[in-house]
Every structure is written in C-alpha cells, then in structure tokens.
Amino acid sequence: MKSKHKSIVSESLFFRIQDILDGKAKLRIAANPSRLEGLPLRGYLLCPRSGRILTGSSSYGNSSLNFYYHCTGGCKERVKAAVVNDYFVWLLIMLVRQNEKAIHSFEKIRISKHKENGRN
C-alpha cells in the first residue's frame, strides 16, 4: 500500500536499520572525527616517490597526538601533517590573492571600456 506522505528515510535505509535492530547486520561506526581533523588532505595527495595516494595516521609522542601523511605503497614516505596542512593553506591564500588582483584588474578594464563607449 502506497503512503500519502513523503518518506523521511529511503526504503533501503529503513530495511538496513531493521536488519541492525534484528541482529542480522552490524552497525558500522565511522572513524573518530577528532582524528580526521588533523588529516583533511588524506586521500587527495600523491606520494612524490611512488605516485600512489597518501593516507594518514596518528601516533602519540611526547604526550601529544601527532598526525602524519604516508604512502599506501609501502615506500616509507612519511611527512608531518601539520607541515603539509599549513603549506596547503598558504598556497590557497596565495591563489586567492592572485585572483583578487586579477579581479580588480578586470574590473578596472571593464570600467575603462564602459567610459570609452560613453556608458557609466
């Protein structure tokens, strides 16, 4: 029987939840979000040695949690995530600044062309 109201969840999600409640399936819990915060580029970077995708992990050292990106190919490439993350943010800032300069230049050109054509 078709319902008159729009479903809150999809039919497949409903049946997956029912299987979990009935003990026919296990609930998969996502990774700890606090561990992922230190590795925002995991899966997007390539290893400079092997060309494979870099993954990430964390380890405790000096009573603090440290994050690292490392190769999935076993080539021993490993770099501190904080260094890579900071460089990535710096690179984004440089790109935005360049775009801002370009946008301002294009705006000046547009205004100049409008004035040449007798428009404001």
Side-chain angles (χ1 to χ4, degrees):
M1 178 174 161
K2 277 276 197 195
S3 65
K4 295 179 183 179
H5 304 285
K6 185 177 179 183
S7 300
I8 296 174
V9 296
S10 68
E11 188 175 333
S12 63
L13 178 59
F14 174 82
F15 285 115
R16 279 186 20 217
I17 292 169
Q18 293 305 310
D19 287 345
I20 291 168
L21 293 174
D22 293 341
K24 296 177 185 175
K26 290 187 178 184
L27 177 63
R28 288 180 279 154
I29 298 173
N32 183 345
S34 65
R35 293 199 179 243
L36 299 178
E37 288 174 9
L39 300 163
L41 302 173
R42 178 170 57 183
Y44 294 100
L45 303 172
L46 296 178
C47 176
R49 291 185 192 181
S50 69
R52 292 181 179 216
I53 293 175
L54 293 181
T55 188
S57 63
S58 61
S59 64
Y60 282 98
N62 296 329
S63 69
S64 65
L65 188 61
N66 301 303
F67 296 94
Y68 298 91
Y69 292 110
H70 53 86
C71 185
T72 57
C75 74
K76 307 292 185 196
E77 183 69 24
R78 182 178 147 168
V79 63
K80 286 186 177 183
V83 172
V84 175
N85 297 343
D86 288 347
Y87 179 74
F88 184 74
V89 169
W90 176 84
L91 186 61
L92 286 176
I93 290 169
M94 292 299 110
L95 289 171
V96 167
R97 283 185 182 163
Q98 287 178 355
N99 284 338
E100 284 176 352
K101 288 178 183 177
I103 289 168
H104 290 300
S105 296
F106 285 125
E107 185 63 16
K108 287 179 181 178
I109 292 168
R110 185 189 67 80
I111 291 169
S112 174
K113 290 294 180 187
H114 276 274
K115 285 181 181 177
E116 285 177 14
N117 294 329
R119 295 181 254 167
N120 291 333

